[in-house]
Amino acid sequence: MINQINYIKSKKAIDGGPVKVLVIGASTGFGLASRITSAFGSDASTVGVYFEKPPAPGKPASAGWYNTAAFEKQAHEAGLYAKSINGDAFSDEIKEKTIALIKKDLGQVDLVIYSLASPRRNHPKTGVAHNSVIKPIGEVFTNKTVDFHTGVVSEISINPATDEEIANTVEVMGGEDWGMWIDEMKAANILANGVVTVAYSYIGPALTEKVYRKGTIGRAKDHLEATAFEISDKLKDIDGKALISVNKALVTQASSAIPVIPLYISLLYKVMKEEGIHEGCIEQIQRLFEQRLYTDTTIPVDEKGRIRIDDLEMRPDVQAKVQALWAEADTDSLASIGDLAGYRSDFMNLFGFEVPEVTYGTDVNEMVEVSGLV
Ligand code: NAI
Ligand code: NA
């Protein structure tokens, strides 16, 4: 957290950057990095929505809760507005609460980051609980995977999803909820003229295609990406636009739950670190803001209208090296040909371990006080 803030402070301010920002999915991963970049790279006021367990007697809170408390403390010390709402972003109630807070405190926002990753969504209109699955479509997918806790590489076979599972995954991770947020915010007149909203997507290599981009989660990403065009149409009258940013594969709570991906990431990290082009969430989002979203020129996009900050991951030389390592990867070789240590340390950091600035045994009540949670 502090490392991420310091990284942004070490960069020059983002010229013409955002002023008032809502981040949906703000407590970890790319969403947290987006909030930090907005606040410390552009002096923006930020509202963050997230879903984390607060501390209970004898029980620590979940990591994203502490991230948010620490972020707010730093932001407030820097004189920046920062408030957060902890609750289910898919619900009508949390949308209403967030809109009321923005209306009261900020008036309007000029940037809305949509960075939710969730295995489940309770649909606010139908009441149906949808669960997402990570499965291939059409045929069984068999490939290598690693249990990154033990380092054991094995073969995994995943049965194809049913039509119902595909539909449910699109309900959870597709674009409907993003569209609802923007519709409701627009109706409440809290979107500034020229507003930009960005959601995060992933493509990845042929190696993971059958389980990711051409699987259930890929269908949801297709839907999310199509939703960007629908939202842009609806924002035309206020000169607004919706964008997709395709980000790099990184260790987050979301990605570590996907089979095959951790093995890919451990090989990718090795190659990218050797090339000196490795980035984490904060480097990715800093580059997104400085070199894509807030420049003097038009935003560069691919043939499908998407911003690409996965450009370094997808470089042909990088992918050729990863593919060659993939062929060799087994339990014995992985420790030397892959960056399992880097994977594990990033994974531990997600939960607040191995982070030098945290003093364990910090008084939880003090954290509650500084957090200013709404
Ligand atoms: P993450 O697990 O680190 O963050 C998810 C965030 O969503 C957290 O702040 C969490 O509190 C919040 N959240 C989850 N359910 C919620 C709910 N019901 N209500 C309110 N907040 C809720 O995930 P990550 O990896 O940062 O993912 C964010 C987006 O980036 C996702 O769309 C993901 O597909 C995309 N992405 C991730 C990549 C990766 O390798 N990790 C690569 C490219 C894109
Ligand atoms: Na996030």
Side-chain angles (χ1 to χ4, degrees):
M1 246 295 304
I2 301 293
N3 297 341
Q4 293 197 37
I5 292 174
N6 287 339
Y7 175 77
I8 294 300
K9 284 181 175 169
S10 77
K11 295 284 181 179
K12 66 175 179 6
I14 294 156
D15 228 14
V19 179
K20 295 173 183 177
V21 181
L22 170 64
V23 180
I24 303 160
S27 55
T28 54
F30 286 109
L32 175 64
S34 305
R35 190 173 195 188
I36 291 171
T37 304
S38 299
F40 293 95
S42 185
D43 283 343
S45 300
T46 59
V47 171
V49 177
Y50 67 92
F51 206 11
E52 302 282 354
K53 270 198 219 83
K59 268 195 181 170
S62 54
W65 191 92
Y66 293 111
N67 288 342
T68 303
F71 167 83
E72 288 193 359
K73 183 172 187 285
Q74 294 294 318
H76 294 159
E77 280 174 14
L80 298 169
Y81 174 97
K83 282 189 184 175
S84 308
I85 292 182
N86 187 4
D88 180 7
F90 296 129
S91 70
D92 288 339
E93 183 206 339
I94 291 298
K95 289 186 179 73
E96 283 158 19
K97 254 189 166 172
T98 308
I99 288 169
L101 177 67
I102 291 171
K103 210 170 210 172
K104 176 168 78 71
D105 287 0
L106 302 178
Q108 293 186 322
V109 290
D110 51 274
L111 176 65
V112 180
I113 297 289
Y114 189 82
S115 186
L116 291 186
S118 173
R120 182 188 169 86
R121 173 180 175 218
N122 290 325
H123 197 287
K125 309 298 172 196
T126 64
V128 175
H130 300 281
N131 290 295
S132 66
V133 298
I134 293 153
K135 291 189 178 179
I137 292 175
E139 53 185 1
V140 178
F141 171 71
T142 303
N143 212 324
K144 293 179 190 177
T145 193
V146 66
D147 176 341
F148 60 86
H149 299 289
T150 61
V152 172
V153 177
S154 61
E155 205 172 72
I156 186 174
S157 286
I158 312 170
N159 286 323
T162 63
D163 288 344
E164 201 188 340
E165 287 174 322
I166 298 170
N168 277 322
T169 305
V170 173
E171 287 287 346
V172 179
M173 287 297 286
E176 187 187 33
D177 182 63
W178 184 25
M180 286 178 168
W181 270 99
I182 300 299
D183 282 348
E184 288 169 38
M185 293 177 77
K186 184 163 189 257
N189 192 29
I190 61 162
L191 297 178
N193 215 65
V195 68
V196 174
T197 181
V198 185
Y200 297 141
S201 192
Y202 182 65
I203 299 176
L207 274 171
T208 60
E209 195 168 61
K210 286 201 170 113
V211 71
Y212 193 93
R213 192 63 210 213
K214 291 195 172 156
T216 48
I217 184 81
R219 285 291 174 85
K221 291 301 186 193
D222 290 344
H223 186 273
L224 182 80
E225 292 176 13
T227 304
F229 292 101
E230 285 173 23
I231 296 175
S232 281
D233 279 343
K234 293 184 191 168
L235 294 178
K236 270 196 181 123
D237 60 327
I238 55 168
D239 276 333
K241 56 178 171 283
L243 294 161
I244 294 290
S245 174
V246 180
N247 300 353
K248 177 198 185 197
L250 281 169
V251 180
T252 63
Q253 295 185 42
S255 69
S256 59
I258 307 178
V260 185
I261 299 277
L263 179 56
Y264 168 71
I265 289 182
S266 70
L267 299 174
L268 179 74
Y269 272 30
K270 181 82 168 185
V271 172
M272 292 186 83
K273 284 178 183 176
E274 272 171 10
E275 296 287 322
I277 54 172
H278 176 71
E279 294 175 308
C281 288
I282 197 70
E283 289 86 358
Q284 279 267 291
I285 299 301
Q286 198 279 336
R287 202 154 62 85
L288 169 66
F289 279 44
E290 189 195 71
Q291 296 179 24
R292 301 290 194 275
L293 293 176
Y294 299 101
T295 65
D296 292 337
T297 51
T298 36
I299 297 171
V301 292
D302 69 9
E303 73 291 349
K304 291 187 171 166
R306 303 171 295 204
I307 297 171
R308 302 296 297 266
I309 51 167
D310 65 340
D311 48 350
L312 303 175
E313 169 183 357
M314 299 309 282
R315 240 169 56 179
D317 60 315
V318 170
Q319 285 301 323
K321 283 184 183 151
V322 172
Q323 214 171 328
L325 293 175
W326 186 275
E328 285 175 44
D330 59 28
T331 306
D332 291 334
S333 67
L334 188 60
S336 56
I337 68 167
D339 185 23
L340 208 49
Y343 191 103
R344 284 186 185 134
S345 129
D346 277 11
F347 186 78
M348 293 299 274
N349 280 339
L350 297 178
F351 302 97
F353 301 104
E354 288 186 3
V355 186
E357 78 268 15
V358 176
T359 328
Y360 296 99
T362 300
D363 185 350
V364 162
N365 291 322
E366 185 197 330
M367 298 287 269
V368 178
E369 267 169 44
V370 298
S371 80
L373 293 172
V374 177

